């Protein structure tokens, strides 16, 4: 099928900790992959994307590598800040051009 | 640069009342437009998308409808709201030429049906 699976939250970390949010997908071919972030009470913002296998997307210290062998697009950041507290959504585009979202992972960073 | 607006930002409506949410995009022409709903504690559900004026595709059966009267205007409506229509409604746009391109989201409308 066509789906995106994210690790369940909430994820609670201390400031400056290392972050990994797992995301795996099922797909035919190699769809574009995205990470969106939703801060409390706001809409979604594009965080980063990768359009082909082995691409690495990066933004604001976050990174994710498109790994076709493991059909994964895990989000990482070396040192999180309190301001990174938000819900993170992994997504892929299906053949009809629609975004398929994961269920979202809530991140809470404590000072 | 492109911007996307949604209004109202918040709305509280009684069950059975009508609904009209508006989304407008500036700075681009012929965009693909989308309506999503995000229920509390859940992910996003695509409701409608449009590739042009008057062209609407529905993803899920419901008592909602969408219209696109102008190129950069997308409206979500209902004749009679249900309690289950409560949620956070997000509008998004993408470049017309490619469905695989990034979707950019508006600030959302939080709807509470009582």
């Amino acid at each position: 099928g066509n789906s995106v699976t994210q690790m369940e939250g909430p994820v609670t970390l201390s400031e400056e900790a290392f972050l990994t949010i797992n995301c795996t997908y099922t797909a035919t071919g190699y769809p574009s992959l995205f990470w969106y972030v939703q801060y409390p009470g706001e809409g979604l913002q594009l965080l980063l994307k990768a359009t082909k296998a082995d691409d690495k997307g990066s933004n604001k210290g976050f990174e994710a590598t498109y790994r076709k062998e493991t059909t994964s697009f895990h989000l990482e950041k070396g040192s999180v800040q309190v301001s990174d507290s938000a819900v993170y959504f992994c997504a892929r585009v299906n053949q009809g051009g629609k975004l398929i979202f994961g269920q979202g992972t809530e991140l809470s960073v404590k000072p | 640069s492109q911007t996307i607006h949604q209004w109202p930002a918040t709305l509280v409506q009684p069950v059975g009342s009508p609904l009209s949410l508006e989304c407008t995009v500036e700075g681009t022409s012929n965009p693909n437009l989308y309506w999503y709903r995000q229920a509390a504690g859940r992910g996003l559900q695509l409701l409608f998308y449009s590739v042009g004026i008057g062209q609407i595709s529905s993803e899920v059966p419901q008592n909602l409808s969408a219209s696109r009267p102008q190129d950069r205007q997308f409206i979500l409506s209902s004749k009679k709201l249900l309690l289950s229509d409560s949620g956070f409604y997000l509008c998004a746009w993408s470049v017309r030429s490619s469905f695989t391109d990034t979707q950019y989201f508006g600030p959302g409308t939080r709807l509470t049906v009582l």
Side-chain angles (χ1 to χ4, degrees):
Chain A
N2 298 319
S3 67
V4 176
T5 303
Q6 292 179 232
M7 64 186 288
E8 292 214 10
V11 174
T12 302
L13 296 173
S14 298
E15 207 164 22
E16 300 183 2
F18 185 87
L19 168 72
T20 299
I21 301 179
N22 291 337
C23 172
T24 58
Y25 65 91
T26 58
T28 301
Y30 303 108
S32 295
L33 301 174
F34 305 84
W35 276 102
Y36 283 86
V37 58
Q38 185 178 32
Y39 298 102
E42 299 184 9
L44 272 69
Q45 300 176 25
L46 177 68
L47 182 58
L48 53 85
K49 71 176 185 181
T51 58
K52 60 183 187 294
D54 300 324
D55 263 2
K56 177 185 283 188
S58 61
N59 184 27
K60 299 180 181 180
F62 290 90
E63 292 184 340
T65 301
Y66 190 140
R67 301 207 184 277
K68 63 180 180 181
E69 301 85 2
T70 54
T71 61
S72 65
F73 193 53
H74 303 325
L75 182 69
E76 296 181 335
K77 185 173 185 181
S79 176
V80 293
Q81 305 301 311
V82 172
S83 57
D84 294 326
S85 298
V87 180
Y88 293 82
F89 291 92
C90 185
R92 59 170 285 265
V93 178
N94 72 2
Q95 290 182 331
K98 300 159 200 173
L99 272 179
I100 308 297
F101 285 92
Q103 72 271 31
T105 302
E106 181 181 357
L107 170 65
S108 177
V109 181
K110 306 297 184 185
Chain B
S1 63
Q2 300 86 8
T3 55
I4 179 168
H5 304 279
Q6 287 186 244
W7 64 89
T10 60
L11 190 60
V12 180
Q13 291 285 95
V15 169
S17 64
L19 174 73
S20 181
L21 304 181
E22 190 163 344
C23 169
T24 58
V25 181
E26 296 177 355
T28 187
S29 296
N30 305 315
N32 295 325
L33 295 172
Y34 310 83
W35 276 113
Y36 290 86
R37 176 169 60 201
Q38 186 179 31
R42 295 177 181 270
L44 286 87
Q45 178 186 39
L46 178 64
L47 301 176
F48 300 95
Y49 69 96
S50 170
V51 299
I53 295 174
Q55 299 179 62
I56 310 294
S57 296
S58 174
E59 287 297 296
V60 293
Q62 65 233 322
N63 69 322
L64 299 172
S65 62
S67 61
R68 185 169 177 174
Q70 301 180 41
D71 180 49
R72 290 170 289 178
Q73 184 184 32
F74 205 23
I75 296 173
L76 183 69
S77 303
S78 173
K79 293 182 179 178
K80 287 186 177 182
L81 284 168
L82 306 173
L83 285 174
S84 58
D85 291 324
S86 292
F88 193 45
Y89 288 82
L90 291 160
C91 182
W93 74 272
S94 68
V95 173
R96 169 76 73 84
S97 60
S98 172
F99 263 122
T100 60
D101 208 342
T102 304
Q103 290 185 22
Y104 299 94
F105 286 79
T109 295
R110 186 161 302 283
L111 171 66
T112 303
V113 182
L114 301 175

